[in-house]
Amino acid sequence: MVTSTAPEAELAPIEQAKKRAAFACGEKYVQSGCRLGVGSGSTVKYLVEYLKQGYQNGQLKDIICVPTSFLTKQWLIESGLPVSDLDAHPELDVCIDGADEVDGQFTCIKGGGGCLAQEKIVQTAAKHFYVIADYLKDSKHLGDRYPAVPIEVLPPASQPLLRSIPRDEGGSCQLRQATKKCGPVVTDNGNFIIDWQFEKNVSGRDWLAIQQRLANTPGIVETGLFIGCVDAVFFAYSDGSVKEIVNTKKH
């Protein structure tokens, strides 16, 4: 078992929850020899901490880490972990990533950090996909916790898509703006992000059909909807507990 070296008391409660979820998932599903897709975001940094400790103390041997973003790659390199890519390792055993929201059907919204396309590419290369999250990401219906679906788009298509997506799917769209530079957020792939604020409280919404329509729209690279791919979710709660919820439809 790999244990955390940093006292949890030094972390805010929400960060403690993220760390417990990451460590619980890593302990159960990452083994020596694992070819691992490593996701992006604030919860994944604790997974990298888990991997670093296990690799350095010899409990995790011969692992290969394939990152889903530039930042995750930097975390892995700084931690001294073996880093590769899908060119060298096109088939992965496991992918572990965070999420912005997970509903009762294991449908996820991802992409709050702007890495959705690469995250989905790495996820689809893995045999199993596990989500790690704090209790604030647990919802009954999409939209209860997170207000929008991120959509990565080619820059020349951004203005037409800002109009066509609300016209065809309802709701409203905004081009995500950067906070440390003038202009829009630019992804690791050189694209823009449109945040589609979909209408809430729509009964019987078919997310798979929506995903297919959006994916077939010229100019859209990928959406932040992850449907039918999650094997299990690890939610960590404010009382210190971690609950693994298994998607029985995949088992």
Side-chain angles (χ1 to χ4, degrees):
M1 177 184 296
V2 179
T3 58
S4 172
T5 56
E8 279 200 352
E10 297 178 1
L11 299 173
I14 195 68
E15 295 301 313
Q16 294 177 21
K18 292 176 181 179
K19 189 168 192 172
R20 287 193 294 270
F23 271 63
C25 184
E27 182 179 330
K28 184 167 184 179
Y29 290 114
V30 181
Q31 303 172 351
S32 292
C34 184
R35 297 163 298 176
L36 174 66
V38 183
S40 304
S42 59
T43 306
V44 170
K45 69 181 179 181
Y46 296 116
L47 174 66
V48 174
E49 179 183 337
Y50 174 87
L51 297 173
K52 176 182 178 180
Q53 292 178 28
Y55 188 70
Q56 289 182 343
N57 66 24
Q59 293 183 29
L60 293 176
K61 301 177 181 179
D62 302 319
I63 60 172
I64 297 294
C65 300
V66 175
T68 60
S69 66
F70 175 85
L71 182 57
T72 299
K73 182 178 180 180
Q74 295 306 115
W75 286 343
L76 293 168
I77 291 172
E78 291 168 2
S79 298
L81 291 161
V83 179
S84 188
D85 55 34
L86 292 178
D87 289 334
H89 296 88
E91 295 182 352
L92 305 177
D93 299 305
V94 172
C95 179
I96 301 175
D97 205 346
D100 298 299
E101 185 173 28
V102 185
D103 74 5
Q105 303 301 314
F106 294 89
T107 298
C108 301
I109 292 178
K110 292 175 50 56
C115 307
L116 56 146
Q118 290 184 202
E119 288 172 341
K120 193 171 285 189
I121 290 168
V122 173
Q123 174 267 308
T124 56
K127 296 176 184 176
H128 300 286
F129 179 44
Y130 302 103
V131 171
I132 50 178
D134 60 78
Y135 57 94
L136 296 177
K137 310 304 191 300
D138 184 7
S139 73
K140 185 176 181 181
H141 304 289
L142 292 189
D144 291 347
R145 299 281 193 174
Y146 198 77
V149 173
I151 302 172
E152 185 164 343
V153 305
L154 296 174
S158 60
Q159 290 304 315
L161 289 170
L162 284 169
R163 292 161 175 78
S164 66
I165 294 172
R167 181 192 66 214
D168 297 339
E169 303 293 346
S172 62
C173 283
Q174 291 184 336
L175 186 64
R176 189 182 298 181
Q177 298 296 312
T179 58
K180 300 295 184 180
K181 64 175 279 292
C182 296
V185 167
V186 179
T187 71
D188 288 356
N189 306 311
N191 298 317
F192 293 167
I193 297 286
I194 287 176
D195 288 306
W196 171 44
Q197 296 170 330
F198 52 91
E199 296 174 344
K200 308 301 187 295
N201 302 317
V202 176
S203 62
R205 176 176 271 139
D206 188 341
W207 286 112
L208 180 58
I210 292 171
Q211 162 66 22
Q212 291 171 339
R213 288 196 297 270
L214 292 172
N216 287 330
T217 302
I220 290 181
V221 176
E222 191 51 85
T223 83
L225 290 168
F226 283 61
I227 304 169
C229 57
V230 176
D231 287 85
V233 182
F234 285 76
F235 285 121
Y237 297 91
S238 56
D239 63 0
S241 64
V242 177
K243 184 177 182 180
E244 179 186 5
I245 305 175
V246 176
N247 184 358
T248 57
K249 293 181 179 179
K250 284 202 69 181
H251 295 271

